[in-house]
Amino acid sequence: MEKSMAQRWQLKDYVFAALMTVGLAVTAKVTQPFASAIPLPGATTIAWAPFAAIFLTLGMARLRRSGAVALMAGVLALILGIISWTISAFLVAALLAAELVGLVSGGFAGKTTRLLANMAFFAATCLSGWFIGVTFLRGTPVGDLAAQWLTQPWVLAPAALVSALAGAVGWWLGEQIVFQLQRAGKLDVAR
Amino acid sequence: MDSLIAVRGLGFAPPGKDRQILHNVQLTLAPGEIVLVAGPTGSGKSTLINAVAGVIPAHTGGCLEGEVSFAGRSLLPLSVRERARHIGTVLQNVEVQIFTDRVREEVAFGLENLNVSPERIAAQMGELLAEFGLQSQRDWPIARLSAGQKQRLVLACVLAMDQPVLLLDEPFAYLDRAGAQLLLELLVRRAHGGQAILLVEHRLDLVAAVAHRSYCCAEGTLRPGLPQGVEATTAPVRPAAGPVVLESRILAYGGYPPLPDLTVRAGETVLLKGDNGCGKTTLLKLLCGLLRPAGGSLTILGKDALKQSVAERSRTLGFVLQNPNHQLFADSVAGEVAQPGVAPEFAEQLLEQLNLLPEREQHPQSLSQGQKRRLALAAVLARRPRICLLDEITVGQDPRSLSLMLDALEAFTGKGGALILTSHDPQAASRLGARVVAL
Amino acid sequence: MSLAKLPQFLGSVNPLLKIALSIALTACAFALKSVWANVLLVGVLLVLTFVSVRVEAKSVVGVGAFLLIFTALTGTLSGDWGYAGLGAARLLVLILPALLLPATTAPGDLVRAFQAVRLPPFLVLSLMLTWRFLPVIQQEAQRIIEANLLRGVDLARRPGLWFSGLFTPLIFRIVSYADDVTVGLETRGYDPESPRSTSQPLRWRPGDTLFALGAAALLIAVGGLEWTA
């Protein structure tokens, strides 16, 4: 059953997305000790990505349409905004990147689109987190020096790539669960 | 008396299946009536409630035939939400009908959905909380409520719209005697007030007396009368002759009154009995190590268990949890039992004993609740524990499914295993010849 | 106002006002380069935190140790101890509002605040559901972790089993909740497209004016210190 782009969002879609947001929040909490062990700003999402991407993949597979990632990550951004708007900022940047992939592909019904959206999402979290960190550092001579070092392409590019790959791992795990859910008759999804 | 709800020739086949799990069901429900529907797990009782509430087929898919009407008007074109104006539904898991974190906010939530003015909400809230015995919990966080209080809160919230019909799906499942009595009185009062109540319940000992009519749901049809119970054999308390396998002394935990000392012998069955919140599950968790006691001693198979981790204790001690969904990890029924170190023949034998062989290739999460409970038990017994802890395994079990589990447990104690269980169902414990320890 | 009444006072302040101040303070953490401006902010925030939030001793030790290590590292690497101290103060300005706002704002109040700013109903619903089911799902996760322990699997020591032992069963639970919660919402008469009333509408109170004036005074003082520096 193909979900048409024009079809309206239903209550069950909002609820499913909200529960996936809960999953994203739980993974953020579970991986927090690992994330805080990564010393580079933005790159901390490498620890979160393999697990968070499971929920993003599941949400995209079930909701299929453009807006699915925005609904999941946008709500998380709103909630985490009460902790700090910097977290909201990098989440918004990431969801825009993923939604761009969805927009180009006409939704998230395809597995490849979901893979690319995940990679874009986590590369963007890394880059925007990096940008926020560097902005925080700037303004003093030492901070400027550290920021200059951190913005070197040979530091930045590998971090973004690893983050995207971590998202890809999560996508692969997410698709495994999508398969299991289908086998158990618990999820009507596109594959 | 004219019926409020009329179900005529109702049939339902789940998505992808030709065989109907409900067929040609006829039922009426008149104002002031309490109608009880009982029957085995998977017989279609909840399906019937869901069909009247509108959950089926809108949320599940599948093919529904026949007619469901309210006061002569067909309900079939209406959604669950539209039907909710006439029919109050309390689902099996009340947690999914709670959306805020405070009692008063929860009552207000339903009224806000109906766009009731703040002044009227304030007035109505007071009345509802008083009627459902929750006035003193008005400002409590919902997490602080007991199972019975939560059940009453959801009932109050659902009935805030003052619907003439009420559907309840196993509302007594997790309630102790006192909580159940309170709920029962409330339902009788509501029925006297003219509300029509359709009740699906396994605990017939509690509800049969208040029902005006009773039906048995079996093999997809509804027949007048209650189900024939599986012969309730009462085994005498087995003499404890084997060696002592578990001994606890003055175990203390949190704000609980002193927990009883236990001396459990091989082959013995012990039932922990007491009201909700008295510490039965807490005691089980202390025994298996999920909780650490503030004081006391615990010896399992001659060793100081308090020095052992949960994982270490798990080599000799198995625990069947209240909710089997937390305990199923594999992607097939057979895989769930075939854990490392479990002989394939023994795994097969357990599946056969618990009547799960036909489902061996299925995903565990695709099973019915009763089957999941049996599978969780099989997965625990497969590890050949010396002591098995069981937390409320009889909840939601039909007599046939329960009987299979009790057979397996009897075989376990027959081979020298020790059982420590909690259950609100006195029949299950007496069938196992359990020694009762009161909390 | 006595210090004892402060937590109650902060809890009753309009959440939108607190969010606005929190955003302003985070911006300050990025913009302020004056030591004294940061010290003033940290001082006020510390007082508010210790009075309003029950802070555990181990958290204080943990954050203190982190800040000390951070300062020592930055100082050693840069050779500029003034810069290291300033960095630690700015970090505190970033961290403390993150503790204060959630601790003094009930989820219900926040939902009302978002309703008051006309956030689309589906977003308010999503927020409400996320809040409500976050502890429920965490509890589910905890039970699954315990069930693993009962099989002799300690997931904390075996991250390799997280996927099959924790995430797979957890996701089955979440998906099952998603279906049931939809039905639950409908049985409670919820419709994302129908108008809803609010039993306790968000109103501007005298306390909010007091809080807004206090916050403005603090920001002006901080701005002054930054300017003179």
Side-chain angles (χ1 to χ4, degrees):
Chain A
M1 182 175 56
E2 191 56 49
K3 197 173 264 189
S4 127
M5 290 287 285
Q7 198 183 325
R8 293 170 70 172
W9 291 90
Q10 295 175 344
L11 182 60
K12 61 181 176 182
D13 298 327
Y14 298 134
V15 174
F16 194 88
L19 270 288
M20 291 303 112
T21 308
V22 171
L24 291 174
V26 170
T27 52
K29 197 177 171 190
V30 169
T31 56
Q32 203 269 332
F34 300 99
S36 49
I38 300 173
L40 299 171
T44 50
T45 54
I46 292 167
W48 183 49
F51 301 102
I54 298 175
F55 290 94
L56 282 179
T57 304
L58 200 54
M60 285 188 268
R62 164 73 170 67
L63 302 172
R64 294 174 228 179
R65 280 169 290 170
S66 284
V69 179
L71 201 52
M72 292 182 279
V75 172
L76 189 66
L78 263 177
I79 288 176
L80 295 182
I82 67 162
I83 295 176
S84 174
W85 62 261
T86 54
I87 305 175
S88 308
F90 82 72
L91 279 173
V92 169
L95 74 86
L96 287 176
E99 283 297 341
L100 192 65
V101 175
L103 203 67
V104 171
S105 313
F108 297 107
K111 281 170 87 168
T112 315
T113 310
R114 298 200 282 267
L115 166 65
L116 293 175
N118 268 304
M119 292 180 75
F121 185 94
F122 290 103
T125 53
C126 181
L127 291 174
S128 48
W130 207 284
F131 175 75
I132 291 167
V134 165
T135 311
F136 184 74
L137 287 172
R138 283 193 200 281
T140 58
V142 183
D144 283 343
L145 201 66
Q148 202 180 355
W149 183 82
L150 283 170
T151 43
Q152 295 295 317
W154 55 270
V155 181
L156 202 51
L161 185 67
V162 172
S163 198
L165 288 176
V169 171
W171 161 81
W172 182 75
L173 295 173
E175 295 292 344
Q176 306 287 310
I177 292 196
V178 168
F179 175 68
Q180 282 207 40
L181 284 164
Q182 274 192 316
R183 252 197 75 207
K186 300 285 178 192
L187 200 68
D188 167 33
V189 294
R191 284 186 62 80
Chain B
M1 200 184 326
D2 285 344
S3 57
L4 270 178
I5 292 285
V7 177
R8 303 263 173 248
L10 188 77
F12 177 71
K17 302 220 167 124
D18 297 329
R19 202 174 148 262
Q20 289 188 327
I21 55 169
L22 271 185
H23 52 92
N24 197 26
V25 170
Q26 317 283 343
L27 179 76
T28 57
L29 192 57
E33 250 192 334
I34 299 179
V35 173
L36 169 66
V37 176
T41 300
S43 62
K45 304 181 304 290
S46 294
T47 309
L48 171 62
I49 278 210
N50 287 337
V52 178
V55 178
I56 283 172
H59 289 266
T60 59
C63 181
L64 184 84
E65 61 179 40
E67 179 60 83
V68 181
S69 60
F70 168 77
R73 270 180 41 216
S74 175
L75 286 173
L76 294 183
L78 305 185
S79 67
V80 176
R81 187 180 53 79
E82 288 160 333
R83 291 184 203 198
R85 295 207 172 242
H86 313 296
I87 302 171
T89 308
V90 177
L91 302 170
Q92 227 173 64
N93 178 6
V94 292
E95 285 290 341
V96 300
Q97 286 181 290
I98 294 173
F99 302 99
T100 66
D101 57 357
R102 299 230 162 231
V103 170
R104 64 181 150 75
E105 285 176 3
E106 194 56 45
V107 178
F109 176 76
L111 297 166
E112 287 171 345
N113 291 339
L114 299 178
N115 211 9
V116 175
S117 68
E119 299 74 34
R120 260 195 68 199
I121 290 178
Q124 224 169 320
M125 188 184 310
E127 287 166 24
L128 278 165
L129 291 175
E131 185 190 348
F132 289 85
L134 292 164
Q135 191 69 275
S136 50
Q137 287 83 19
R138 180 191 170 92
D139 292 314
W140 279 24
I142 289 169
R144 236 182 106 184
L145 299 182
S146 70
Q149 287 168 330
K150 261 190 202 171
Q151 195 81 257
R152 293 207 303 279
L153 171 65
V154 170
L155 205 56
C157 292
V158 164
L159 291 177
M161 301 181 235
D162 208 22
Q163 306 92 325
V165 180
L166 178 58
L167 311 177
L168 296 137
D169 196 355
E170 293 197 41
F172 295 94
Y174 294 97
L175 303 190
D176 57 26
R177 278 268 161 192
Q181 199 53 43
L182 259 172
L183 181 59
L184 215 53
E185 283 165 15
L186 215 131
L187 294 181
V188 170
R189 212 163 50 230
R190 279 278 172 166
H192 282 156
Q195 216 146 27
I197 299 171
L198 179 62
L199 187 62
V200 160
E201 189 53 58
H202 277 304
R203 292 176 72 184
L204 306 182
D205 54 322
L206 279 172
V207 292
V210 301
H212 297 101
R213 280 183 293 140
S214 301
Y215 290 92
C216 169
C217 193
E219 289 156 13
T221 58
L222 218 51
R223 298 189 198 111
L226 287 173
Q228 298 296 310
V230 172
E231 206 57 40
T233 50
T234 306
V237 174
R238 259 188 217 122
V244 172
V245 288
L246 182 146
E247 201 167 22
S248 75
R249 292 288 173 267
I250 48 172
L251 283 181
Y253 184 77
Y256 287 100
L259 294 163
D261 290 346
L262 295 175
T263 303
V264 183
R265 293 175 179 275
E268 194 181 13
T269 302
V270 172
L271 169 73
L272 304 178
K273 200 174 173 189
D275 283 344
N276 273 353
C278 70
K280 300 187 296 285
T281 304
T282 303
L283 181 52
L284 292 184
K285 286 187 173 178
L286 287 169
L287 297 180
C288 71
L290 287 177
L291 294 177
R292 286 207 160 273
S297 68
L298 174 66
T299 312
I300 295 176
L301 297 170
K303 287 184 183 154
D304 182 356
L306 296 184
K307 288 183 180 156
Q308 295 175 322
S309 68
V310 187
E312 282 168 328
R313 275 187 234 184
S314 73
R315 285 180 207 133
T316 50
L317 198 140
F319 194 162
V320 184
L321 302 171
Q322 213 173 85
N323 186 345
N325 289 304
H326 300 131
Q327 239 171 336
L328 302 176
F329 305 102
D331 60 2
S332 72
V333 167
E336 197 64 57
V337 186
Q339 297 160 55
V342 176
E345 314 81 59
F346 184 50
E348 289 287 303
Q349 187 192 328
L350 278 169
L351 289 179
E352 190 178 3
Q353 195 173 19
L354 288 157
N355 196 24
L356 289 166
L357 268 184
E359 289 80 22
R360 67 191 313 284
E361 295 308 323
Q362 277 190 36
H363 198 288
Q365 298 290 350
S366 68
L367 302 179
S368 73
Q369 198 67 3
Q371 288 170 326
K372 280 183 190 171
R373 280 181 182 275
R374 299 208 297 273
L375 180 57
L377 175 64
V380 167
L381 293 182
R383 305 180 75 232
R384 295 183 189 271
R386 302 279 301 275
I387 303 160
C388 189
L389 313 177
L390 303 113
D391 196 7
E392 291 295 348
I393 53 159
T394 57
V395 168
Q397 291 274 34
D398 67 80
R400 163 95 182 117
S401 182
L402 183 58
S403 179
L404 283 167
M405 288 182 77
L406 295 179
D407 287 344
L409 291 172
E410 270 182 327
F412 173 72
T413 51
K415 287 178 190 158
L419 279 181
I420 304 173
L421 61 122
T422 70
S423 174
H424 282 127
D425 181 355
Q427 286 183 2
S430 63
R431 154 94 189 268
L432 289 168
R435 172 165 64 88
V436 176
V437 173
L439 269 86
Chain C
M1 187 188 323
S2 74
L3 279 182
K5 285 185 179 166
L6 199 57
Q8 225 177 354
F9 170 71
L10 279 180
S12 67
V13 170
N14 190 317
L16 293 173
L17 202 53
K18 284 190 276 187
I19 291 172
L21 181 64
S22 172
I23 290 173
L25 290 178
T26 312
C28 284
F30 276 79
L32 297 180
K33 300 293 180 279
S34 145
V35 175
W36 289 113
N38 277 293
V39 166
L40 174 62
L41 267 185
V42 169
V44 173
L45 284 170
L46 275 177
V47 169
L48 287 177
T49 305
F50 279 103
V51 173
S52 314
V53 185
R54 200 195 300 167
V55 187
E56 288 178 21
K58 67 174 183 187
S59 306
V60 177
V61 172
V63 173
F66 170 75
L67 282 174
L68 266 178
I69 294 168
F70 175 82
T71 314
L73 263 178
T74 324
T76 312
L77 288 174
S78 65
D80 181 345
W81 289 93
Y83 169 74
L86 177 66
R90 289 172 69 203
L91 259 185
L92 272 175
V93 176
L94 206 61
I95 293 169
L96 291 174
L99 288 174
L100 260 174
L101 183 59
T104 60
T105 313
D109 291 342
L110 212 57
V111 168
R112 269 192 291 281
F114 286 133
Q115 266 175 318
V117 291
R118 304 260 179 248
L119 209 64
F122 72 84
L123 270 183
V124 177
L125 171 76
S126 300
L127 280 170
M128 202 170 69
L129 291 179
T130 307
W131 246 298
R132 157 75 181 117
F133 288 98
L134 185 60
V136 173
I137 299 301
Q138 277 182 320
Q139 200 177 40
E140 292 282 333
Q142 186 54 38
R143 285 178 182 156
I144 293 167
I145 291 168
E146 288 176 356
N148 273 281
L149 277 175
L150 293 169
R151 273 197 186 188
V153 178
D154 186 353
L155 289 177
R157 293 181 185 175
R158 299 172 72 178
L161 290 177
W162 280 14
F163 180 67
S164 60
L166 173 61
F167 283 102
T168 305
L170 183 65
I171 285 171
F172 270 97
R173 294 298 299 141
I174 293 178
V175 169
S176 155
Y177 264 101
D179 292 339
D180 296 345
V181 168
T182 309
V183 173
L185 269 170
E186 290 209 34
T187 60
R188 299 288 309 277
Y190 183 84
D191 178 7
E193 278 154 27
S194 297
R196 296 182 77 236
S197 58
T198 312
S199 57
Q200 289 172 288
L202 197 67
R203 291 197 177 94
W204 189 267
R205 298 179 209 186
D208 297 331
T209 311
L210 196 69
F211 183 82
L213 288 174
L218 174 68
L219 291 176
I220 289 169
V222 165
L225 285 171
E226 178 76 7
W227 182 259
T228 49

